Amino acid sequence: MQAKNDSQTVIIDGSRLVTEAMARAGADAFIGYPITPANLLYQYAGRRLPLMLPAPDEITTLQWMSGLAAAGRIPVTATSFPGFALMIESVNMAFMMELPMVIVLVQRLGPATGTATCGAQGDLALLRGMISGGHQVPVLCGDGFKDTWNLAAEAVHTAVRLRTPVVFLTSKEEMMTRKSFDLSLLDDIFPVERRSPGGAHYKTYDPGEDGIPAFLPVANASRQVRLNASTHDMEGILRHSTDEAMANTRRLEDKAGNHLDSYTRYQYDSQEDAATLVVSYGITAAAAREAVSGIRESGKKVSLLVAGTLLPLPGIYYRITGKYDRVVIAEENINAQFARLMFGEELPGRVRTVGAIGKMIAPGDITKEVLL
Amino acid sequence: MSTILRKKDLPYCKGCGHDLIAKNTAKALERMGLEALDVTVVTDIGCHGIIDGCLNTHTVHGLHGRSVALGAGIAMGTGRQGNKIIVFIGDGGSTIGLQHILEAARLNLDMTVVVHNNMLYGMTGGQTSGLTPCGFKTTTSSEGNPWSGYDLCALTHTSGAAFSGRIAGVGDISGTLQEAFETAGFSLIEIVEICPSYGVRLNPGKKLREIMESSGKLPGRWMNDRKPFVLEQGKKRGDLLKELKTITASHDMPPGGPVSVILSGSAGEGVQLAAGILATAAVSTGYHVTQKGSYPVTVGVGFSTAEVIISPRPVMYHGIDIPDMVVITSVDGLEHCRRRIEAMKGGSLFIDSSLECPPTGAGVVAHDFRSVGARNAALFALFRMAAVTGILQPEVIKSTALASGLPAAVPVGKMMELATG
């Protein structure tokens, strides 16, 4: 097969694509602490982003990022579970202070240090429960290089638009495997725009009309900014549990959900009269696509839903899955984390799961369950 | 009327040194001619942290122990000249976040840390802290603390802080605070106080200066003549995609479906490099490829395995269960792939002739691949694989290898001759 004349075929890994996409979307600082399998992102960021700082640990990483975000930067880091675990209190802080940033979480096999050089999809349940109070941060996840490119940029845009930390969830195989790819297939990415608050007096947590406070950098020369990780009022002053402070915390609960449509990304490939739907995300979506393709070639009908927005769960996923007699959810863990987030601990009989640890789920594993 | 403080009465217990620190901070800043919005105060968790609401400055109230790192981020992120970043922290927070303090001192970030050292955890009930002096009584050491506290000033000084200072929290301390604030680079000032609620009650009659003397933590100033860290702003970097070489399909692709290839050897023996050459040669032949690396967590020892799929159509799933072709160049590589080699029912195995070949259904080609040097064995085997299977032209591998930046000493031409002859 000869390449098209206008094609730009290269061999590339996902880490390079994610770093470039985030830089183009407006990310301008990377704080790094080495951890396998996220190291390629650290290396690329050092060459690409205007500011790259090596932190002495992952708690410092998130705190420096928070300080940079408070000062008006758009910081990014990349880590894996052991590092992310150290970051969680500070992610709560950034969530409470409403500071935009992106954490690229490159999943590897756990528990604990597990196997650093083995991929996995085992951290979704952690992400769902990591904010005290049960609040949610947006979690996006790419499917293949083109989609990863777009969603990495969307992660930056969503972080700034919603004033929130965003997790871009990926895995070792997506970030380290090299593949041939035609760069001409990539969409343009535009840098995120920030809106400036008007008026002489600024309240850091005034919800405005859309529940998202306008952002002003701390340390500016004109208007006072008060950021607070403790329960606070609209000014950003610490309060116990006043009505205004509780309204602020409720707004935080509602923020990600109320604007969910703006960052809901999924791919739905439906086949008329199909009774079975395959659902997957991230690295396993590639196997799901191949399985669905093979099943269709054999003359059987099946549909496919690939989730890009993992948290909060978009309502459209329920409307789609509700159309099918059987739903086969494939993800690289052995406790059906996405399936249980969607359908609860006791899965309905029509929901089947395909899981694995220590290896990628193969298309044949999914095909077998679909045709069962 | 203070421009820094918005309230005259601060929310502290009678006799608390925190009140003294806040008022003297304001006095020093005003004497320096700074406006409220020229200053950002980052506070930690503890009694000192409730000062936020009393300040006209920018205020940032973070987590316990992390305020110095948070302030460091602000100091690095703001490009505003003349802006003053001040972190208020207690003795408890300074031990939780000791690494953050040392790091900011090491980098000599332009900021000031004011340690409110009242020698115990006041907000949570008077427990012993890492700065509690030996013999000092707290609610958790009724016989007196058996250990000495950290010497924060010694730690920051040896880490590279431009200014480290310790004073007793008595009288007018605005002069020393001003000295710290005016330091270009990192400054830390430790102000020793006695908590009126716990320290005074549990240690009746003890004077602050006596405690400082008996603990060896005397007032003082320690300097390092260093320039502050200056952040390079807005430096543009290259496009990561433009760094990549575009590969044009310029060779004829033989007929056939996808082929999965595993190259397996020892770390440091060029397996991943050979896999990269194979992948590039395949793309220049018009194939789609994936190249997955597998290795233990160690970098320089153990196995190194690369899985390459070469396909006439785009590859979605890039895993390989039972491969079509395997190249084995060392015992490490053999052991890592033994199960899959034994499971092969066809295809080809290219194995160094020094190794014992496991039972397999693959066609076996044994050759002394390591004869050209262990680091070249995988590439040598690629030539043999190309010659035997016909999936790629050896010439294409050769031209790809020569263009890959290999050292001149690598005998690429000789390997091709030996493999195809």
Side-chain angles (χ1 to χ4, degrees):
Chain A
M1 186 179 74
Q2 295 293 312
K4 293 176 297 187
N5 288 335
D6 56 352
S7 70
Q8 302 169 43
T9 301
V10 296
I11 299 178
I12 191 171
D13 56 67
S15 297
R16 186 184 286 266
L17 274 173
V18 166
T19 309
E20 181 62 31
M22 289 189 176
R24 291 191 191 185
D28 59 2
F30 188 96
I31 309 298
Y33 187 85
I35 188 167
T36 304
N39 296 324
L40 281 175
L41 288 135
Y42 189 1
Q43 288 171 25
Y44 291 137
R47 300 211 298 272
R48 181 63 178 90
L49 296 186
L51 171 63
M52 196 286 289
L53 292 162
D57 59 76
E58 286 94 343
I59 297 175
T60 303
T61 298
L62 248 285
Q63 289 293 328
W64 281 4
M65 286 172 72
S66 298
L68 287 162
R73 295 271 188 164
I74 304 173
V76 175
T77 191
T79 190
S80 196
F81 167 75
F84 188 72
L86 292 178
M87 294 176 177
I88 287 177
E89 188 193 17
S90 298
V91 175
N92 274 255
M93 184 193 83
F95 175 83
M96 190 67 156
M97 288 184 170
E98 300 185 68
L99 298 173
M101 61 180 65
V102 178
I103 302 157
V104 181
L105 177 52
V106 189
Q107 294 170 103
R108 68 188 217 187
L109 183 62
T113 43
T115 303
T117 53
C118 185
Q121 290 181 294
D123 295 339
L124 185 60
L126 169 71
L127 294 175
R128 178 59 189 88
M130 72 172 166
I131 303 291
S132 180
H135 312 296
Q136 298 189 63
V137 300
V139 177
L140 302 178
C141 176
D143 159 34
F145 280 170
K146 184 174 160 59
D147 192 51
T148 291
W149 171 261
N150 289 331
L151 265 67
E154 183 56 51
V156 173
H157 284 231
T158 300
V160 173
R161 200 169 59 242
L162 269 66
R163 275 193 67 168
T164 182
V166 170
V167 173
F168 184 76
L169 186 65
T170 181
S171 72
K172 180 257 178 184
E173 293 300 339
E174 293 164 283
M175 290 297 101
M176 293 187 71
T177 299
R178 301 170 77 234
K179 295 182 179 181
S180 54
F181 182 70
D182 181 358
L183 295 178
S184 69
L185 298 173
L186 295 176
D187 296 322
D188 289 337
I189 289 174
F190 299 99
V192 66
E193 291 181 1
R194 306 185 93 147
R195 55 178 181 161
S196 295
H201 184 60
Y202 170 72
K203 286 187 178 181
T204 310
Y205 298 108
D206 184 336
E209 292 181 0
D210 58 5
I212 305 170
F215 178 83
L216 258 187
V218 74
N220 77 82
S222 60
R223 284 173 284 179
Q224 186 186 30
V225 174
R226 294 184 181 278
L227 295 164
N228 206 322
S230 295
T231 302
H232 53 266
D233 60 17
M234 279 199 288
E235 291 271 3
I237 293 175
L238 187 148
R239 301 290 179 212
H240 183 272
S241 53
T242 61
D243 289 347
E244 187 176 317
M246 291 301 95
N248 186 70
T249 301
R250 286 195 182 89
R251 180 181 57 76
L252 284 173
E253 166 65 14
D254 295 339
K255 189 169 70 169
N258 285 349
H259 295 273
L260 180 54
D261 284 351
S262 72
Y263 60 94
T264 293
R265 302 286 183 271
Y266 64 94
Q267 295 173 69
Y268 178 38
D269 175 9
S270 66
Q271 195 170 32
E272 200 172 343
D273 299 330
T276 300
L277 172 75
V278 174
V279 180
S280 196
Y281 60 94
I283 186 63
T284 309
R289 285 189 185 286
E290 199 157 307
V292 165
S293 175
I295 293 165
R296 288 175 178 172
E297 280 175 18
S298 73
K300 297 188 171 61
K301 292 183 183 299
V302 64
S303 294
L304 175 68
L305 171 65
V306 176
T309 302
L310 298 182
L311 291 173
L313 280 171
I316 185 72
Y317 295 170
Y318 291 96
R319 293 194 286 282
I320 291 172
T321 54
K323 294 176 182 174
Y324 293 89
D325 297 336
R326 289 185 83 231
V327 177
V328 176
I329 301 180
E331 51 188 315
E332 197 180 320
N333 56 57
I334 50 172
N335 33 43
Q337 296 186 16
F338 184 77
R340 288 201 156 93
L341 281 177
M342 278 205 68
F343 296 104
E345 281 299 310
E346 191 168 307
L347 295 174
R350 71 186 184 91
V351 174
R352 310 295 299 176
T353 63
V354 180
I357 51 169
K359 62 176 186 135
M360 289 188 288
I361 294 172
D365 302 333
I366 299 168
T367 302
K368 191 176 165 188
E369 183 61 45
V370 170
L371 300 180
L372 203 65
Chain B
M1 181 66 188
S2 173
T3 55
I4 300 294
L5 290 171
R6 62 191 279 192
K7 292 178 183 173
K8 194 176 173 185
D9 296 321
L10 305 181
Y12 295 116
C13 305
K14 190 179 177 186
C16 178
H18 295 2
D19 187 277
L20 180 85
I21 293 171
K23 287 175 176 166
N24 279 272
T25 294
K27 188 176 176 181
L29 293 171
E30 287 159 9
R31 197 161 54 216
M32 291 164 67
L34 292 168
E35 300 291 331
L37 295 186
D38 294 334
V39 179
T40 299
V41 177
V42 184
T43 50
D44 210 82
I45 300 298
C47 294
H48 73 274
I50 56 176
I51 194 68
D52 283 33
C54 305
L55 294 169
N56 288 320
T57 65
H58 297 290
T59 61
V60 183
H61 185 59
L63 302 179
H64 195 27
R66 311 303 169 199
S67 53
V68 176
L70 182 56
I74 296 169
M76 290 186 281
T78 180
R80 196 181 148 210
Q81 295 295 314
N83 195 50
K84 192 71 222 168
I85 311 296
I86 299 171
V87 175
F88 276 10
I89 192 168
D91 47 316
S94 68
T95 57
I96 297 183
L98 188 55
Q99 171 66 58
H100 306 313
I101 296 174
L102 302 185
E103 187 71 5
R106 184 176 76 90
L107 302 183
N108 205 26
L109 301 176
D110 195 9
M111 60 190 292
T112 299
V113 176
V114 179
V115 180
H116 299 54
N117 178 13
N118 60 8
M119 301 181 283
L120 46 73
Y121 289 85
M123 184 175 260
T124 50
Q127 297 90 343
T128 302
S129 82
L131 297 191
T132 303
C134 185
F136 194 75
K137 291 179 182 173
T138 70
T139 55
T140 54
S141 58
S142 56
E143 302 294 318
N145 182 31
W147 297 287
S148 295
Y150 283 107
D151 187 337
L152 273 187
C153 291
L155 290 168
T156 52
H157 179 63
T158 54
S159 297
F163 175 99
S164 305
R166 183 186 297 116
I167 56 174
V170 178
D172 187 338
I173 58 172
S174 63
T176 314
L177 281 164
Q178 184 174 342
E179 193 179 349
F181 296 151
E182 288 179 337
T183 299
F186 183 84
S187 56
L188 176 139
I189 178 163
E190 177 189 350
I191 300 164
V192 186
E193 333 161 15
I194 300 184
C195 171
S197 296
Y198 297 104
V200 171
R201 181 165 59 81
L202 296 170
N203 300 272
K206 283 207 171 182
K207 302 294 181 197
L208 193 55
R209 291 189 190 280
E210 291 170 12
I211 296 169
M212 292 175 73
E213 284 172 12
S214 64
S215 66
K217 308 292 188 317
L218 298 171
R221 293 175 180 76
W222 298 268
M223 316 290 188
N224 284 302
D225 186 14
R226 294 177 69 200
K227 289 183 179 173
F229 174 81
V230 177
L231 185 67
E232 290 183 41
Q233 296 282 345
K235 192 173 172 185
K236 299 294 177 194
R237 305 293 178 106
D239 185 315
L240 291 171
L241 304 187
K242 288 181 180 162
E243 292 176 357
L244 297 170
K245 281 184 188 168
T246 303
I247 307 168
T248 306
S250 51
H251 306 285
D252 291 333
M253 185 168 59
V259 175
S260 56
V261 183
I262 293 180
L263 289 80
S264 195
S266 295
E269 292 190 355
V271 171
Q272 304 301 331
L273 183 67
I277 291 169
L278 173 63
T280 304
V283 174
S284 67
T285 307
Y287 288 109
H288 298 269
V289 300
T290 65
Q291 181 195 342
K292 172 189 171 185
S294 293
Y295 17 76
V297 288
T298 47
V299 173
V301 295
F303 70 90
S304 177
T305 297
E307 301 185 4
V308 179
I309 297 176
I310 301 170
S311 171
R313 55 182 179 273
V315 182
M316 288 183 273
Y317 170 72
H318 67 260
I320 298 174
D321 185 14
I322 309 302
D324 299 312
M325 298 177 196
V326 176
V327 169
I328 300 291
T329 57
S330 77
V331 68
D332 287 332
L334 174 61
E335 291 310 316
H336 184 64
C337 293
R338 180 178 289 277
R339 180 194 66 79
R340 292 200 278 189
I341 292 170
E342 290 177 353
M344 289 173 76
K345 293 186 167 51
S348 305
L349 168 65
F350 299 85
I351 186 167
D352 189 84
S353 49
S354 67
L355 303 169
E356 188 180 334
C357 186
T360 179
V364 178
V365 177
H367 195 93
D368 188 6
F369 295 123
R370 297 176 74 89
S371 64
V372 291
R375 285 177 178 273
N376 302 324
L379 181 57
F380 186 17
L382 279 191
F383 280 116
R384 191 75 185 129
M385 183 179 80
V388 170
T389 65
I391 60 163
L392 291 172
Q393 296 171 29
E395 276 293 341
V396 180
I397 294 178
K398 180 185 171 186
S399 59
T400 306
L402 290 173
S404 69
L406 284 174
V410 176
V412 176
K414 181 187 166 192
M415 285 192 281
M416 191 179 88
E417 282 176 29
L418 288 171
T420 57

